[in-house]
Amino acid sequence: PPPPPPPLAHGAASNPVGALESLLRQEGIEPTRFLRAEESLASPFWCVVRVLDGAGEALGRSGGHSKKKEAKKAAYHDALSSTRLRELLQERRAAVQTSLSTAGAAGGAAEQRHP
């Protein structure tokens, strides 16, 4: 079973956009290189927060809002509580750890060849 989503960061309810961007930066990810928000231009407003990599899957959605800002906040709040976001971050951490381990092993092997 997928792990439960962690509790939302402090201030996430009032500023989910900033909370999600802060979470990504803590993971060493530049938010503009990881996510994009697609928004409607007319009422009722909607917003979809998508991952830039791969198929551009949606992490958060909202719709039917009378204010554009509220639609964006709701979509980011949805993305923050997404188990898929947690899975993507775990996959990224595992990939970084694997590349660090591989680089460390290669560096160690090079040192052994050249005493």
Side-chain angles (χ1 to χ4, degrees), residues 20-22 24-25 29-36 52 76:
L20 182 54
E21 290 176 352
S22 177
L24 293 175
R25 285 190 181 100
I29 301 169
E30 176 54 42
T32 58
R33 294 175 183 249
F34 185 77
L35 297 174
R36 82 170 177 267
L52 288 174
Y76 272 78

Side-chain angles (χ1 to χ4, degrees), residues 2-8 77-87 90:
L8 295 176
H77 189 275
D78 192 34
L80 265 173
S81 57
S82 163
T83 55
R84 183 62 185 139
L85 174 65
R86 303 297 177 232
E87 292 168 356
Q90 285 177 338

Side-chain angles (χ1 to χ4, degrees), residues 34-103:
F34 185 77
L35 297 174
R36 82 170 177 267
E38 299 172 352
E39 302 173 82
S40 62
L41 300 175
S43 183
F45 293 102
W46 56 265
C47 181
V48 178
V49 178
R50 295 189 182 277
V51 177
L52 288 174
D53 294 343
E57 69 183 291
L59 294 178
R61 299 174 188 269
S62 71
H65 294 270
S66 60
K67 296 181 180 177
K68 189 174 184 177
K69 185 177 181 179
E70 293 304 317
K72 187 172 184 175
K73 282 176 65 173
Y76 272 78
H77 189 275
D78 192 34
L80 265 173
S81 57
S82 163
T83 55
R84 183 62 185 139
L85 174 65
R86 303 297 177 232
E87 292 168 356
L88 289 169
L89 293 177
Q90 285 177 338
E91 289 170 14
R92 185 180 184 285
R93 275 186 228 118
V96 167
Q97 192 62 36
T98 300
S99 67
L100 291 176
S101 297
T102 304

